[in-house]
Amino acid sequence: LKGKVFRGGAWLGTGSFSEQVIRFGRNMVLARILAPEAFGTMAIVLSASSVVQTIMDVGVREALIQNSRGSDDEYVGAAWWMAFGRALSFWAVLSTAAPIIAKFYGNPQLTALFRVSAVWVLLDGSLSTRAFSAIREMRFRSWALINHGGAILGIVATIVLSFMLHNIWALVLGSGCESLGRFALSYIVCPFFPPFRLPLAAIRDLLKFSKRAFGLSLLNLIFSRTDIFVLAKMFSARELGLYTMAVFLAQTPCGFILNLLGQTLLPTFSQMQNDKTRTNRVLMRVTSVLLVVGTPVLIFVCLCGHWLLGLFYGAKYAGVGAPLRVAALVTVINILNGQITTIFYAVGRPQLHRRCVLISSMMMILSIYPAVWRFGLVGGQLAALLAIMAGFFFQVIRMRSITGFDTFAYAKTVAIFAGISLIAFSLFFGARSVVSFDRPVPNLLIGVGACLMAGGLGLLAYLKGEAKFAT
């Protein structure tokens, strides 16, 4: 099992890393070609589309991976019809609601943007579900070629279109190219022909898992997109675009890590779901490794976020360093929380994660407007920080009843790395007072020094913990 995980992780890691690097390069290029308003408008399109999409989510991929018969032809065919039916319904609803959403935001252009974007969902819903079975069987190379290969094709297309169109349609059409690339590659890499007859028994079986996860996607959306909905009404498209790009800079590594670990650890934990001791041990080790890597990066972003934005996107983005710093902290907590979520899915109890997301969503709804009204753009991420901390605390406590997890040892591990980070940050933040804040090179060097110090101390703490575990 360990060999399969590492071999699969190598494929997924290579594919995901390549995709994220190219996607990040794309954003650097687009930030200098397109106006911030284009990114703000696209954020509205993606967020509003996600509302309809997640309401109709039935968790096809997760249900197929978790099911013991997920590789059977009958179940693969059932999953395809479920995914396609959901996508067709989404297309119809969003196409009808497009003028209403456009009127709400006072932007007539949104009608056409929504209707075109809805077409791409039909392609996503028609993927070969044999590709999902490949994940279950831990044949990650196939999924990496489909998912990341299609994404890379779309990213390249977006860059080309941006030079030709110089407007938001480059983003919309580029997104369509991603969907088209994944669609085509799914049938090339994992050939599959949907059955003409609906496999009703298999559909009912897969829906049992979906019922336990019902509403989860919508709650996740409320947590992750409420800031966009609120900021879109309170600020201009330009300011929203600046905020979106800053937050995306923090979310890029988050997406890479969550996708990589989720796709490898879900089938891994599924196969060891009856071995609670082993599950707990793997969770603790994965968490420690994530903290060793994540906390130094967090410190670097907190010290140098202003200069990173100016360097990557241009001077006009440098003013949104505060949202970036808070978003980086949200990202670290979200990644840690994601590993517990994977275990809940692996043991067939996604409803536990639904309660976590419900808590986060309620916290987000209650805090977002006061936070934005009081603190401006950064308030969007401050509300997200409160929300993810509440949900994270709940999931850690729930792990104790699921696997007998030692929550005290977990809290102690997190506290040690948090203390190391605080020490490194305080020392180098104080050292920064002797240099001019307007000079980028000294500030970046200070950030690198803090990152190395936190990483070194964190690695020592991790090795010490491993030595105790071995004895």
Side-chain angles (χ1 to χ4, degrees), residues 2 38 65 87 133 140 154-155 294 304 306 318 373 382 384-385 391 410 433 440 467:
K2 185 183 293 185
I65 294 173
S133 292
F140 297 114
I155 292 168
C304 305
H306 171 86
W373 181 81
L382 289 174
L385 178 60
Y410 186 85
S433 62

Side-chain angles (χ1 to χ4, degrees), residues 266-379:
L266 178 57
T268 302
F269 283 129
S270 296
Q271 295 188 34
M272 64 171 70
Q273 57 184 286
N274 296 321
D275 190 342
K276 296 180 180 180
T277 301
R278 192 179 181 192
T279 297
N280 292 337
R281 184 169 66 247
V282 172
L283 175 59
M284 285 294 293
R285 284 180 167 174
V286 170
T287 299
S288 296
V289 171
L290 289 173
L291 289 170
V292 169
V293 177
T295 50
V297 176
L298 173 62
I299 294 174
F300 182 78
V301 172
C302 289
L303 289 171
C304 305
H306 171 86
W307 297 109
L308 289 175
L309 287 168
L311 175 65
F312 292 140
Y313 295 152
K316 57 189 173 185
Y317 289 90
V320 285
L324 171 62
R325 297 182 184 98
V326 181
L329 179 56
V330 172
T331 293
V332 172
I333 299 175
N334 196 27
I335 291 173
L336 298 180
N337 194 41
Q339 311 321 305
I340 302 177
T341 300
T342 302
I343 294 177
F344 289 165
Y345 271 84
V347 299
R349 301 184 67 178
Q351 67 271 24
L352 296 179
H353 180 54
R354 180 173 58 195
R355 296 171 190 170
C356 157
V357 183
L358 176 61
I359 293 172
S360 296
S361 299
M362 294 301 297
M363 182 67 72
M364 191 73 177
I365 292 172
L366 292 174
S367 62
I368 182 66
Y369 182 79
V372 172
W373 181 81
R374 176 66 179 83
F375 300 104
L377 288 175
V378 71

Side-chain angles (χ1 to χ4, degrees), residues 300 303-305 307-308 311 439-450:
F300 182 78
L303 289 171
C304 305
W307 297 109
L308 289 175
L311 175 65
R439 296 169 59 193
V441 174
N443 279 276
L444 291 174
L445 290 176
I446 285 176
V448 171

Side-chain angles (χ1 to χ4, degrees), residues 89-206:
S89 301
F90 168 82
W91 170 80
V93 171
L94 188 59
S95 297
T96 303
I100 301 173
I101 302 173
K103 184 177 180 180
F104 176 79
Y105 284 108
N107 187 349
Q109 185 186 20
L110 289 174
T111 300
L113 295 173
F114 279 125
R115 286 176 171 167
V116 172
S117 296
V119 176
W120 313 144
V121 180
L122 285 175
L123 293 174
D124 289 332
S126 304
L127 294 177
S128 169
T129 43
R130 184 64 67 186
F132 301 157
S133 292
I135 300 176
R136 186 184 183 280
E137 297 162 5
M138 305 188 79
R139 294 187 286 111
F140 297 114
R141 177 176 64 177
S142 299
W143 179 246
L145 292 173
I146 295 168
N147 189 39
H148 304 304
I152 290 172
L153 290 174
I155 292 168
V156 174
T158 303
I159 296 175
V160 174
L161 289 168
S162 67
F163 283 103
M164 298 171 59
L165 302 177
H166 294 278
N167 57 37
I168 190 176
W169 282 104
L171 301 177
V172 175
L173 297 177
S175 176
C177 290
E178 284 194 40
S179 298
L180 180 61
R182 278 191 293 264
F183 172 80
L185 287 172
S186 71
Y187 287 94
I188 294 173
V189 178
C190 298
F192 168 74
F193 193 83
F196 289 107
R197 303 181 71 179
L198 289 176
L200 297 178
I203 290 176
R204 284 193 293 268
D205 192 15
L206 292 176

Side-chain angles (χ1 to χ4, degrees), residues 254-271:
C254 179
F256 167 72
I257 295 172
L258 285 177
N259 286 333
L260 175 61
L261 293 179
Q263 292 168 17
T264 54
L265 292 181
L266 178 57
T268 302
F269 283 129
S270 296
Q271 295 188 34

